[in-house]
């Protein structure tokens, strides 16, 4: 089942009260179909807008809204409309302490899939590791540092990365420096102190996010809007340099089991102007002719990617597709040969989970025997099923 011929209608969840009964995803599908197949030079998205307004009433009217906020509501609405889970079980989060991160991450993903399975999960969702560590000044850890030594670790799904922009650096701001800031250690003090269950009181602590698994489509949101101490909102206009191809995330990916991918850029949402007088445009790669285009209201024109993209101060949301290791040697000018592999996520096929996409077949056999067997859900074969640029079409356990 190829992604572009995916029949969403078979998976509409009419019983999910969190969705729209398929109305929004149907309106979005009709809009996309018209954009690609109709001969009209201009499209009227009013039917889609009306469906979106019903799902997210804050978008009613003609006021300007944040494109990232719109994207978040759109993906959430499509997920709920197409969630393959009909009855969501209650699942209690497991308390983790960092001693078995690989196993805990897999269990957290399995628990998540028991409540959330859709093409949105398949395409856009990865996993973060959140670590909070006690820094109680009245106690000392074994290494002599402040704290009782207690750590609280959680593995959480994400649909996009919201990255802060460094403001006080004299060096060139890159996407990697934004990611480094996102993954840096945060001090929790004062009113933000953390309740340590071991110390049984609120204490100073540190908090840190790490990338654990990455999705086929990675969305990066640059946090260009900020609030100061007095509640005033302003925009950060610093240029951020980002790669067009082969964005290597190996330095930031902490799971030792995850195959290290690279990512190619295929679209950009730009915000021009300031808060009071802003305007959105977009850059997009057309995979049929391998040409980048600039979309500005009713105007569409081809652009030179190297000259116009990758270093502007208006980039707001970046869209990357994953390139598998065996595709990284493909000709950089042939984008079709570098499309991501998409694996349909289900509870009965753990060999298709991102945690199971190991470097070698022997690694996968060893891992499935020692780890997946502990979960009581052993795959039929130790080998990873690789199906380039297709969604695995199998029965999905409810």
């Amino acid at each position: 089942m190829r992604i572009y011929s995916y029949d969403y209608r078979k998976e509409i969840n009419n019983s999910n009260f969190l969705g729209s009964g398929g109305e929004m995803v149907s309106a979005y599908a009709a809009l996309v179909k018209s954009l690609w197949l109709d001969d009209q030079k201009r499209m009227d998205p009013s039917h889609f807008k009306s469906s979106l307004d019903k799902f997210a009433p804050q978008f009613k009217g003609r006021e300007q809204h944040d494109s990232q906020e719109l994207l978040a509501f759109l993906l959430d609405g499509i997920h709920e409309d197409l969630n393959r889970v009909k009855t969501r079980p209650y699942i209690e989060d497991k308390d983790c302490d960092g001693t078995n991160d690989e196993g805990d991450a897999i269990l957290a993903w399995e628990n998540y899939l028991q409540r959330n399975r859709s093409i949105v999960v398949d395409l856009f969702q990865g996993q973060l590791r959140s670590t909070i560590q006690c820094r109680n000044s009245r106690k000392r850890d074994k290494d002599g540092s402040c704290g009782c030594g207690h750590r609280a670790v959680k593995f959480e799904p994400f649909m996009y990365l919201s990255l802060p922009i460094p403001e006080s650096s004299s060096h060139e701001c890159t996407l990697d420096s934004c990611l480094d800031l996102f993954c840096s250690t945060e001090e929790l003090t004062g009113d933000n102190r953390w309740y340590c269950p071991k110390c049984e009181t609120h204490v100073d602590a540190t908090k840190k996010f790490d990338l654990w698994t990455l999705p086929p489509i990675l969305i990066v949101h640059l946090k260009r809007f900020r609030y100061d101490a007095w509640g005033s909102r302003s925009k950060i206009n610093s240029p951020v340099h980002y790669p067009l191809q082969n964005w290597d995330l190996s330095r930031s990916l902490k799971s030792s089991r995850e195959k290290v991918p690279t990512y190619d850029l295929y679209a950009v949402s730009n915000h021009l102007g300031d808060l009071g007088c802003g305007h959105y445009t977009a850059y997009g790669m057309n995979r049929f002719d391998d040409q980048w285009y600039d979309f500005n209201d009713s105007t569409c024109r081809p652009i030179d990617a190297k000259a116009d993209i990758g270093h502007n101060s208006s980039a707001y949301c970046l869209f990357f597709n994953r390139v598998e290791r065996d595709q990284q040697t493909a000709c950089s000018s042939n984008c079709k040969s570098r499309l991501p592999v998409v694996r349909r996520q289900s509870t009965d096929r753990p060999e298709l989970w991102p945690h199971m996409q190991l470097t070698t077949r022997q690694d996968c056999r060893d891992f499935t025997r020692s780890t997946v067997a502990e979960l009581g859900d052993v795959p039929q074969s130790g080998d990873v099923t690789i199906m380039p640029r297709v969604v695995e079409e199998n029965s999905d356990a409810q």
Side-chain angles (χ1 to χ4, degrees):
M1 180 173 69
R2 295 190 179 278
I3 294 172
Y4 54 73
S5 61
Y6 163 70
D7 188 357
Y8 71 92
R9 293 166 296 186
K10 294 181 180 179
E11 296 190 342
I12 291 177
N13 189 336
N14 292 300
S15 62
N16 186 1
F17 71 95
L18 296 175
S20 66
E23 180 180 349
M24 193 172 76
V25 69
S26 297
Y28 176 73
L31 176 64
V32 173
K33 182 179 179 180
S34 295
L35 285 170
W36 282 103
L37 300 181
D38 285 1
D39 294 331
Q40 302 177 33
K41 293 184 177 181
R42 297 180 183 181
M43 304 302 304
D44 179 7
S46 57
H47 176 60
F48 165 72
K49 175 68 164 53
S50 176
S51 298
L52 177 68
D53 290 347
K54 294 178 184 178
F55 181 76
Q58 65 268 38
F59 293 109
K60 285 185 177 180
R62 295 182 178 276
E63 296 295 322
Q64 187 181 76
H65 294 278
D66 188 285
S67 67
Q68 188 273 332
E69 183 182 1
L70 170 64
L71 177 65
F73 275 95
L74 173 61
L75 290 178
D76 185 58
I78 292 175
H79 164 68
E80 298 298 351
D81 273 358
L82 300 179
N83 195 345
R84 299 188 286 266
V85 179
K86 305 304 181 184
T87 303
R88 292 181 170 179
Y90 171 78
I91 299 176
E92 190 170 342
D93 289 339
K94 176 187 175 184
D95 294 329
C96 305
D97 58 7
T99 58
N100 183 29
D101 280 348
E102 298 291 351
D104 290 339
I106 291 176
L107 181 60
W109 189 249
E110 181 189 39
N111 289 341
Y112 182 69
L113 292 181
Q114 291 188 52
R115 295 174 56 85
N116 300 276
R117 296 193 298 274
S118 73
I119 193 170
V120 173
V121 176
D122 303 338
L123 285 171
F124 299 104
Q125 294 195 0
Q127 196 176 45
L128 294 174
R129 178 180 66 183
S130 169
T131 304
I132 301 180
Q133 185 161 353
C134 173
R135 295 300 181 190
N136 190 341
S137 59
R138 297 183 178 181
K139 297 187 178 182
R140 285 289 182 270
D141 201 354
K142 295 179 181 178
D143 60 2
S145 61
C146 290
C148 69
H150 180 72
R151 289 191 298 171
V153 178
K154 291 187 69 175
F155 291 90
E156 303 170 331
F158 73 89
M159 192 146 56
Y160 47 84
L161 294 176
S162 288
L163 304 185
I165 300 175
E167 299 176 57
S168 58
S169 174
S170 59
H171 301 289
E172 177 183 87
C173 181
T174 67
L175 198 55
D176 284 324
S177 60
C178 295
L179 183 58
D180 288 343
L181 184 56
F182 173 80
C183 294
S184 63
T185 300
E186 176 187 0
E187 303 286 339
L188 302 180
T189 59
D191 293 340
N192 294 322
R193 296 209 304 169
W194 174 65
Y195 182 83
C196 176
K198 186 174 180 180
C199 296
E200 297 184 329
T201 186
H202 286 87
V203 300
D204 290 347
T206 58
K207 183 176 182 179
K208 189 179 189 306
F209 285 109
D210 293 303
L211 304 184
W212 199 256
T213 66
L214 296 169
I217 302 297
L218 179 61
I219 302 174
V220 176
H221 162 229
L222 297 175
K223 298 172 72 173
R224 291 201 173 274
F225 303 104
R226 62 183 173 185
Y227 288 93
D228 60 23
W230 296 273
S232 298
R233 198 177 185 213
S234 60
K235 183 183 177 183
I236 303 171
N237 288 306
S238 304
V240 176
H241 294 252
Y242 50 92
L244 298 182
Q245 285 191 327
N246 297 319
W247 185 27
D248 186 356
L249 293 170
S250 58
R251 190 165 54 93
S252 302
L253 194 62
K254 298 305 179 183
S255 173
S256 61
R257 297 290 184 178
E258 167 78 307
K259 286 198 304 184
V260 179
T262 62
Y263 281 84
D264 288 353
L265 186 76
Y266 72 90
V268 182
S269 173
N270 302 302
H271 182 274
L272 295 85
D274 55 29
L275 293 175
C277 186
H279 178 66
Y280 284 106
T281 67
Y283 301 140
M285 159 69 77
N286 185 332
R287 298 192 187 277
F288 290 100
D289 60 9
D290 290 343
Q291 172 66 52
W292 280 89
Y293 291 87
D294 176 24
F295 299 92
N296 187 350
D297 287 344
S298 61
T299 302
C300 174
R301 65 181 181 88
I303 56 175
D304 182 350
K306 293 183 179 179
D308 299 326
I309 307 175
H311 47 75
N312 55 327
S313 59
S314 58
Y316 186 44
C317 292
L318 307 172
F319 300 81
F320 293 89
N321 69 256
R322 178 172 176 148
V323 180
E324 305 296 332
R325 176 171 295 185
D326 59 348
Q327 298 172 325
Q328 292 172 9
T329 57
C331 177
S332 60
S333 62
N334 185 0
C335 296
K336 296 176 185 177
S337 64
R338 295 168 65 88
L339 294 176
V341 175
V342 180
R343 299 173 178 88
R344 182 182 173 96
Q345 299 296 287
S346 64
T347 54
D348 61 343
R349 296 294 305 275
E351 73 272 25
L352 297 179
W353 298 351
H355 311 73
M356 304 301 293
Q357 308 312 309
L358 307 181
T359 304
T360 68
R361 293 187 175 185
Q362 185 59 48
D363 284 343
C364 188
R365 278 190 281 268
D366 294 341
F367 188 49
T368 54
R369 291 167 183 164
S370 64
T371 305
V372 178
E374 297 175 6
L375 300 178
D377 205 355
V378 182
Q380 295 296 317
S381 170
D383 293 345
V384 172
T385 305
I386 300 293
M387 292 152 290
R389 294 167 294 283
V390 302
V391 179
E392 173 68 355
E393 188 173 26
N394 281 288
S395 61
D396 204 10
Q398 300 300 328

